[in-house]
Amino acid sequence: MLPSWEDPNLGTMKRVALWLIAEVGEGNEFTKEQMRAAFPGVSQIDRRMRDLRSFGWRIDTNREDPLLTSAQQRFVTRGQPVWEKGMPSRSKSAPAIGAVRRREVISGDSNMCRSCGITPGQFYAGTFEGAQLDIARREVVLPGGVTEKQLVTECNRCRVGAKELTADLSAVIDRAGALSPDDRELLAGWVDADERPFSAAERVWAEYRALPADARASLREFLGLA
């Protein structure tokens, strides 16, 4: 049995967590106006809600979920039970990324999302939605097994599915070392240019891979495949 979110003896962040569970529900949308109406007169209610993210609570805005409007947020999943005794009221969070460092990271990443290659303002395929770039903190496994957080540029769409992603640099280096001399030379050219040119057939292949099963079957029929 969870405590009541209306218990005035609980801290604001704990009450917001319980309100999200009891009144919103995981996977559902809510607005700041609804939250403020539930906690009338409580100062910094928005900040206390954002503090939950440091405890593993996932609460998306339209930056992470393009289906949301600017007024909506989505309670995706709960994190640590912050209302339990012994839980801290604040979590140690990573330092904020300043504007200068942000520009350095995006410029160093060639002003594009490192996951899908889209650039700022470019429309996603088949939509009129322009991409926004942001900075993600990505865990990277270094040679020797040491893990550290590194900054990488991603668009608002790719950040949604990559929050728990860990990049294994050691494994990438091992696979690069296992390539034939010709393939390593080819890879070196792509890395040096920070770009890989794709043929027309390769672009169609990528589009085919993204099709639903019935649509893939139609293309197979068009190509004369069983």
Side-chain angles (χ1 to χ4, degrees), residues 12-66:
T12 303
M13 183 184 70
K14 298 178 181 182
R15 291 181 62 197
V16 171
L18 293 165
W19 176 78
L20 287 170
I21 294 172
E23 303 296 327
V24 178
E26 292 183 65
N28 295 322
E29 303 90 2
F30 67 97
T31 65
K32 289 182 180 180
E33 286 69 25
Q34 289 173 323
M35 182 171 61
R36 290 167 183 162
F39 297 89
V42 178
S43 63
Q44 297 186 323
I45 188 68
D46 297 350
R47 180 176 295 182
R48 299 289 80 80
M49 184 269 292
R50 291 196 297 271
D51 286 343
L52 288 170
R53 294 188 175 105
S54 299
F55 292 90
W57 291 64
R58 181 173 165 186
I59 303 166
D60 286 354
T61 67
N62 64 341
R63 293 176 63 186
E64 294 85 19
D65 186 343

Side-chain angles (χ1 to χ4, degrees), residues 20-203:
L20 287 170
I21 294 172
E23 303 296 327
V24 178
E26 292 183 65
N28 295 322
E29 303 90 2
F30 67 97
T31 65
K32 289 182 180 180
E33 286 69 25
Q34 289 173 323
M35 182 171 61
R36 290 167 183 162
F39 297 89
V42 178
S43 63
Q44 297 186 323
I45 188 68
D46 297 350
R47 180 176 295 182
R48 299 289 80 80
M49 184 269 292
R50 291 196 297 271
D51 286 343
L52 288 170
R53 294 188 175 105
S54 299
F55 292 90
W57 291 64
R58 181 173 165 186
I59 303 166
D60 286 354
T61 67
N62 64 341
R63 293 176 63 186
E64 294 85 19
D65 186 343
L67 297 178
L68 298 173
T69 68
S70 59
Q72 293 177 310
Q73 299 189 64
R74 189 187 305 281
F75 172 33
V76 181
T77 184
R78 71 173 76 181
Q80 299 178 51
V82 294
W83 54 83
E84 291 186 353
K85 290 184 178 180
M87 290 291 294
S89 58
R90 295 287 180 87
S91 177
K92 294 182 179 179
S93 58
I97 302 170
V100 173
R101 180 59 178 144
R102 176 187 172 84
R103 287 194 295 269
E104 289 176 348
V105 173
I106 294 177
S107 176
D109 284 339
S110 302
N111 294 290
M112 67 180 186
C113 173
R114 301 308 298 186
S115 294
C116 71
I118 202 167
T119 55
Q122 182 181 351
F123 291 139
Y124 291 104
T127 76
F128 293 103
E129 178 192 354
Q132 302 174 32
L133 297 186
D134 206 343
I135 305 299
R137 290 182 171 88
R138 179 66 41 76
E139 284 197 355
V140 179
V141 181
L142 303 175
V146 178
T147 300
E148 71 175 23
K149 293 269 190 179
Q150 296 184 7
L151 303 180
V152 64
T153 305
E154 283 189 323
C155 71
N156 42 338
R157 278 193 176 184
C158 289
R159 288 182 68 244
V160 174
K163 290 189 174 183
E164 306 301 324
L165 180 64
T166 297
D168 194 338
L169 173 61
S170 181
V172 174
I173 291 175
D174 288 344
R175 286 194 288 272
L179 295 174
S180 68
D182 288 345
D183 283 345
R184 286 189 65 178
E185 183 178 355
L186 183 63
L187 174 64
W190 295 340
V191 171
D192 185 48
D194 198 23
E195 180 181 7
R196 180 198 167 185
F198 290 94
S199 68
E202 287 174 317
R203 286 194 292 271

